[in-house]
Amino acid sequence: MKTSTQEVPQQGGMARRQFLRYAGAGAALAAGAITMSSCSKDRKGIENDHVDLGSGDIAILNYAYALEQLEAAFYTQVVQTPYSGISSAELSLLTDIRDHEIAHREFFKAALAGNAIEGLTPNFSSINFADRTSVLAASKAFEDLGVSAYNGAGAMIQKADYLVLAGKIVSVEARHAALIRDLISYNSFIDSSVVDIANTSLEISRTPAQVVPIANQYLTGKKLAIPSLGIY
């Protein structure tokens, strides 16, 4: 199923003042992001049908923006076409998650301003949106991927302000992940697939080189290039 990553719900969506808070914060960071790399606008083009995320912190912000585009598009579809037998409580929770993901997406778009990559085109054809099991399994996969992606990119962020914001967003994504796991199976909010329980009890992380190929499975047309960070 193809959809637009930039759709914003017209009813029951994020309050306008909430969006403005995110957009305003993003605009405040935009100047810093733009001056970080004078060549970043050139780097955001397409090479071999891949979207170049850029380099340095610009790449990390675009990387996060790309993932939030996917999540926002997924939950928008979930709410627009609820699965069979969905309860009012589940629909309310999934709507809240949708609103969070849209807010995250719009925040990164505003922060990147002219350095933002274009809107991506997701392909969710592997997901049966009419089936609860399929939807929640996909939701779990997206949330776990997002948390591990933020954790893996954290050490690569150079600007302290961006690191703080990434930490705040990943904590929300982790709450989503725990909630979805409990919807699948009560009290299963954590296991060894996401936390190294046997050793450090720390969340498992993934590098962009590990995350991008997974995310690209849910994109049609232009795919993401692995960002050039000069670190891994």
Side-chain angles (χ1 to χ4, degrees):
M1 178 179 293
K2 297 179 183 179
T3 185
S4 168
T5 60
Q6 300 300 319
E7 293 175 357
V8 178
Q10 298 300 311
Q11 295 183 1
M14 172 179 52
R16 183 173 181 273
R17 61 179 178 275
Q18 181 186 16
F19 166 74
L20 291 175
R21 284 200 300 271
Y22 276 97
L29 291 175
I34 292 170
T35 58
M36 282 162 44
S37 175
S38 60
C39 64
S40 58
K41 285 191 177 182
D42 294 332
R43 290 185 57 83
K44 73 170 183 173
I46 307 302
E47 297 178 4
N48 299 322
D49 296 324
H50 282 69
V51 179
D52 189 339
L53 300 179
S55 61
D57 278 359
I58 291 292
I60 292 297
L61 293 179
N62 267 320
Y63 173 60
Y65 176 43
L67 296 176
E68 297 295 350
Q69 284 190 52
L70 273 178
E71 288 188 300
F74 169 73
Y75 285 108
T76 294
Q77 186 64 48
V78 169
V79 173
Q80 286 180 346
T81 57
Y83 50 77
S84 177
I86 191 170
S87 68
S88 59
E90 287 183 349
L91 181 58
S92 177
L93 290 169
L94 292 170
T95 300
D96 285 344
I97 295 177
R98 177 203 62 184
D99 294 348
H100 297 164
E101 303 299 2
I102 289 174
H104 294 167
R105 182 194 70 196
E106 295 304 304
F107 166 78
F108 283 113
K109 184 178 181 180
L112 284 156
N115 293 285
I117 60 171
E118 63 189 74
L120 303 173
T121 304
N123 186 345
F124 298 137
S125 58
S126 62
I127 303 168
N128 180 0
F129 283 90
D131 179 69
R132 182 180 188 272
T133 298
S134 179
V135 168
L136 293 184
S139 178
K140 174 178 173 291
F142 278 127
E143 297 297 347
D144 288 350
L145 181 67
V147 173
S148 66
Y150 275 101
N151 287 336
M156 304 173 188
I157 297 175
Q158 301 170 29
K159 190 174 177 62
D161 288 347
Y162 297 154
L163 183 59
V164 171
L165 288 167
K168 290 182 177 181
I169 292 176
V170 72
S171 63
V172 175
E173 300 291 350
R175 290 173 186 268
H176 294 170
L179 169 62
I180 295 300
R181 285 169 174 272
D182 266 10
L183 289 180
I184 293 172
S185 178
Y186 179 69
N187 209 29
S188 65
F189 64 93
I190 194 171
D191 62 30
S192 60
S193 68
V194 289
V195 173
D196 183 5
I197 296 174
N199 299 300
T200 63
S201 290
L202 297 179
E203 187 85 16
I204 293 171
S205 62
R206 290 187 179 99
T207 67
Q210 294 171 313
V211 171
V212 166
I214 299 174
N216 279 342
Q217 296 176 24
Y218 297 98
L219 291 175
T220 190
K222 298 168 184 175
K223 305 297 182 72
L224 300 175
I226 296 174
S228 174
L229 300 172
I231 296 176
Y232 65 97

